Each structure stands twice: as C-alpha cells, then as structure tokens.
Amino acid sequence: MKITDPSTPDIVAAASTFAALGSEQRLSVLRALVRAGPEGLSIGELGARSGVTGSTLTHHMRILAQAGLVAQEKRGRSIICAAVAYDELRALSDFLLRECCADSAHPHEEHDHG
C-alpha cells in the first residue's frame, strides 16, 4: 500500500486552493472568468454572468485573489477581473488524479480518467 505524507507541500497548497473554492458562489465566479478567457470581464459583466454582485462579489473576488486564482486590473473607469491560474487549476485536478487507484488491487487501466 502506498502512503502519502499529508504534510507535503502539494497537499498543503491543494488544501488552501480547495478552501478558496469551497463556495458555490466562488466557483460560479471562477467558472465565469475561466469561460471568459484571459481578457477577463468587467465587474458588472462578471456579476451578471455569475449571479454574484455587490459586496458579496467583492468578498469572493478577494478570497480568490488571495489564493492566486484571479486578478483585478483597473482599466480606465472599469475594473477588469480575470482568471490567472490556469496552470494551477490544471495542477489541482492532476493532484487529485495523480495517484488514482494507487492503493487498489485493480490496475489503473480499469479506471480510465484520462
């Protein structure tokens, strides 16, 4: 049986990122930004697409920004929000699937995730 040390940096970083994503509203905000691509969305458009507005949106953007998943940039009179951590999001999913079935008696091929 393969044992993974739960104090490794991978699991610490993953736990921190998962904590930032631990809200339906934050997931909705991040999903809207990922769908918009690198050009991002204005705060107003992000609110319209995600269904999260006002101080609630500000709160969730702060948490996502602290996790390094999104960024905000003032452009003229607008604030543009964008997802910036595509590689980190991919690494997070890889973290979950990297050791797929490592402790199983069944070969990995029977559990194709990929």
Side-chain angles (χ1 to χ4, degrees):
M1 174 159 65
K2 188 173 186 174
I3 301 200
T4 303
D5 179 1
S7 65
T8 62
D10 273 358
I11 203 160
V12 172
S16 176
T17 305
F18 277 122
L21 296 173
S23 152
E24 282 182 38
Q25 290 183 326
R26 282 194 293 277
L27 281 173
S28 180
V29 167
L30 183 60
R31 182 171 183 239
L33 291 174
V34 167
R35 290 176 57 97
E39 58 275 359
L41 299 169
S42 69
I43 283 282
E45 184 64 23
L46 177 56
R49 291 189 190 189
S50 68
V52 182
T53 59
S55 62
T56 302
L57 178 57
T58 302
H59 167 75
H60 289 310
M61 281 297 298
R62 186 177 70 249
I63 292 169
L64 291 169
Q66 287 173 346
L69 297 171
V70 302
Q72 296 180 354
E73 176 185 333
K74 188 159 176 74
R75 290 189 200 152
R77 295 171 57 181
S78 297
I79 296 175
I80 304 300
C81 305
V84 294
Y86 295 100
D87 290 340
E88 288 81 354
L89 291 170
R90 188 170 292 111
L92 198 59
S93 65
D94 289 347
F95 169 82
L96 289 175
L97 298 175
R98 175 175 33 232
E99 297 183 48
C100 176
C101 311
D103 296 336
S104 174
H106 303 286
H108 181 266
E109 293 79 34
E110 291 183 23
H111 303 279
D112 186 13
H113 294 283

